[in-house]
Amino acid sequence: QPDQVHLRELGARTLAGDMHLEFLGEIPLDPRVRQAGDAGMPTALALPDSAAGASFRAIAQRVDALVMAPAGA
C-alpha cells in the first residue's frame, strides 16, 4: 500500500531518527509473543526470562522515564 511506511525496508531505528524521534527499542521475532498476546497475556509476564520479555520491560521502563521526566528535560 503506497500510504504505508515500509518498516522492513527502512528499519524502525532509521525511521525514528529520520523523524527526530527517540528509538525505544526492538523486540526479537519470537512466535511466543503472538501466542501470549492472543491469550491476553503480556509477553513480559508470560515469558519473563525470554529476550522478548526483557525487551518489552526495557521499552516500558524507557517510556515510563520519558513520561515522568520534567517538561523540557
Side-chain angles (χ1 to χ4, degrees), residues 40-68:
M41 178 68 92
T43 301
L45 298 178
L47 306 166
D49 298 325
S50 70
S55 294
F56 274 107
R57 281 191 306 282
I59 290 169
Q61 290 168 349
R62 184 66 192 132
V63 169
D64 180 62
L66 290 169
V67 169
M68 299 306 292

Side-chain angles (χ1 to χ4, degrees), residues 19-37:
M19 296 177 74
H20 307 286
L21 299 171
E22 182 164 342
F23 178 72
L24 297 174
E26 53 197 342
I27 308 297
L29 293 176
D30 184 334
R32 298 175 301 168
V33 171
R34 181 199 51 80
Q35 293 165 348

Side-chain angles (χ1 to χ4, degrees), residues 1-7 9-10:
Q1 295 177 354
D3 61 336
Q4 291 182 342
V5 176
H6 298 283
L7 290 178
E9 294 173 16
L10 295 176

